[in-house]
Amino acid sequence: MKKNYFKKKFSITFPLSVIDRKDIVLLIGFILVLSCSITGCGSNNQQQSILPVTEPIARENPAQEAPVQEAPAQEAPAQEAQNQSVPEKVETEAETETEAETDAPTPDVSSSSPSYLGTWQITSSTFGAYSAMSEEDCSALVGTRFEYFKDYAIYDDQHRLDSPQYCESTQTADDFSSIYQGTSLETLGISRDSIQVVAIENASGIGDTFYIKDENTLIIPWDGVFFEVQRISSDS
């Protein structure tokens, strides 16, 4: 009996001693891996460890990032519109100011002051229907100067009147011919139905009354003779 037991024990233990320890370790590891894959051990732990991390990120990030992205997108156009609207207003104001300056009339001496103000000189004469002067008297007056200004007037051989009052009126061609006994405006080279006349108050002498033939020519009547005077200088 002892011999048989010894033989059985030796036959069982002998192969184990022959097997390499490395093979035993690999076999045990394979068995553990196989058992874990079958039973599913550790899968719950992995899912539990992953879900708390991934779910808050997927749920919280869109909610947090959405307002941050929408707010600048709405404010940026508003700021750009304000930045663009300000220069446009400045330009429109600048354009309106430049238009007002261009439309405003430039100061003109002739428009603010009567056209007859200035220095004048007799250049020629025309006799009327009836005259009390000779040709020598008329020739002697050629070159005589007259000064009509707002502050003073010089007429009738250097007679001066301070602060003259110029009275303007209009005479028709018929009235002119009636006053000067048949002398017409056409005789003086004026082809109009009326003419403007200016009389200086408190003045007496040649040059106290004159007619405006054109911008640079006046007609001064005196003793039936009509003296034509030309502009030398304007009022300045």
Side-chain angles (χ1 to χ4, degrees), residues 56-70:
I57 294 172
R59 292 178 184 178
E60 292 178 359
N61 288 339
Q64 293 177 355
E65 294 177 358
V68 175
Q69 293 177 355
E70 290 178 358

Side-chain angles (χ1 to χ4, degrees), residues 207-218:
D208 59 355
T209 302
F210 55 87
Y211 292 87
I212 301 175
K213 183 176 181 179
D214 55 48
E215 186 178 357
N216 295 315
T217 308
L218 303 179

